[in-house]
Structure formats: structure tokens, C-alpha cells
């Protein structure tokens, strides 16, 4: 993509909202995008990495995504 918007496909609207809330508790801001903004079953988390993020910032976010994904059963343990 030519934009910094990066979708992380979740599918389920409830899990997308839960994913976003759990990330926020870990100090990672990632917006849930769900119906009616996208078709049912196409829910996602939207992140926008930028040049102002350091490698440390990105690694922090990736670890949080991994923890939350495993907690919600989206990523296998």
C-alpha cells in the first residue's frame, strides 16, 4: 500500500473490539474497524506506523499484538 494505514484482519466484530481494548490497556492504540464501516465478517484493527516510531516502539507494539492475539485465540500459542 502507498499509505501508512495497515489493517490487521480479525474477521469477527466482537473480537476486533476486544482486541483493540486489550491493546489499549497495554498502551498500544489500534482502532477497531467493524460493521457498518466494513462488511460483516471483515472486521479489522487499523494501525498507522510512521517514521516517528522507533524500532523499540514497533517491537513493543508487535509484542502486544502477539500477547493479545494469543489471549483471544486468534494466534496459536
Amino acid at each position: 500500500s502507498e499509505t501508512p494505514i495497515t489493517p490487521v484482519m480479525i474477521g469477527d466484530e466482537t473480537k476486533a473490539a476486544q482486541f483493540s481494548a486489550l491493546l489499549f490497556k497495554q498502551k498500544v492504540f489500534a482502532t477497531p474497524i467493524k460493521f457498518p464501516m466494513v462488511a460483516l465478517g471483515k472486521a479489522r484493527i487499523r494501525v498507522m506506523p510512521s517514521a516517528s516510531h522507533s524500532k523499540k516502539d514497533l517491537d513493543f507494539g508487535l509484542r502486544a499484538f502477539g500477547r493479545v492475539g494469543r489471549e483471544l485465540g486468534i494466534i496459536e500459542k
Side-chain angles (χ1 to χ4, degrees):
S1 173
E2 294 188 22
T3 72
I5 298 170
T6 307
V8 178
M9 304 307 290
I10 305 296
D12 179 87
E13 278 71 24
T14 302
K15 280 197 176 183
Q18 291 172 330
F19 205 115
S20 175
L22 290 170
L23 284 174
F24 192 75
K25 286 181 180 180
Q26 294 191 41
K27 310 239 185 284
V28 174
F29 182 71
T31 309
I33 306 298
K34 53 191 189 148
F35 183 82
M37 294 180 277
V38 294
L40 278 173
K42 301 287 185 179
R44 62 203 68 188
I45 301 296
R46 179 181 286 170
V47 296
M48 292 182 59
S50 75
S52 68
H53 289 105
S54 67
K55 181 174 183 333
K56 184 177 176 181
D57 295 331
L58 297 174
D59 289 341
F60 178 86
L62 288 171
R63 283 191 303 275
F65 264 84
R67 284 190 298 270
V68 171
R70 285 186 293 279
E71 182 177 337
L72 293 177
I74 294 170
I75 298 172
E76 291 184 22
K77 294 181 182 195

